[in-house]
Amino acid sequence: CNSIDNAKIAGTQVYYHPSSERGTLLAENIYDKLVDITGLAPKKTQNGSHLFVIRKTLSPAVLVETAFISNPEDRKYLLSESGQEDIANAIVQGIVKTFNEI
C-alpha cells in the first residue's frame, strides 16, 4: 500500500525500470487491470529506477502500490474482502496478459 500525509491523495501506482522492456510491459498490464477491475483512481505507472528492488534485479520487476492506505476510501476498499480479491485478481490478470504477450 501507499501512504502520504495528504489524505485526499488516492489511487494505484505501479513502478518499473524504464530500461526493462518486459518490466515496463508488466507494469502497464498490471496497472491497466488494477484500474479496470478495482475502479481505483488512476495515478499512473512510474519510473522506479531509484528503488533498489527494481534497479538491482535481473528479472523484469515492478512494485505495485495498490492504493493509499492514508486515504479513507482507499483504506476501506483495501480492508474489504472484495477489495483484496479484486486487487489480487487484477495483478494476476496483468501478469498472465504479460506472459501471453512475450
Side-chain angles (χ1 to χ4, degrees):
C1 301
N2 212 337
S3 182
I4 195 165
D5 291 337
N6 184 345
K8 293 180 181 179
I9 304 294
T12 188
Q13 295 175 292
V14 181
Y15 291 86
Y16 63 95
H17 198 289
S19 69
S20 172
E21 188 175 314
R22 288 183 174 179
T24 301
L25 178 64
L26 178 61
E28 291 169 354
N29 287 337
I30 290 174
Y31 173 80
D32 289 345
K33 292 296 181 180
L34 278 167
V35 172
D36 289 344
I37 292 172
T38 66
L40 289 166
K43 293 298 287 179
K44 65 184 169 181
T45 57
Q46 300 276 336
N47 178 341
S49 60
H50 64 287
L51 301 168
F52 184 87
V53 69
I54 292 174
R55 186 178 68 245
K56 292 296 184 177
T57 186
L58 299 177
S59 300
V62 300
L63 176 67
V64 180
E65 296 280 6
T66 54
F68 281 82
I69 201 162
S70 52
N71 176 280
E73 291 177 24
D74 276 10
R75 182 174 51 251
K76 183 178 177 181
Y77 185 68
L78 287 163
L79 292 171
S80 73
E81 187 174 331
S82 63
Q84 292 171 21
E85 288 179 14
D86 288 348
I87 289 167
N89 186 33
I91 293 170
V92 168
Q93 285 189 32
I95 293 168
V96 169
K97 183 176 182 196
T98 302
F99 275 120
N100 290 333
E101 291 178 359
I102 57 174

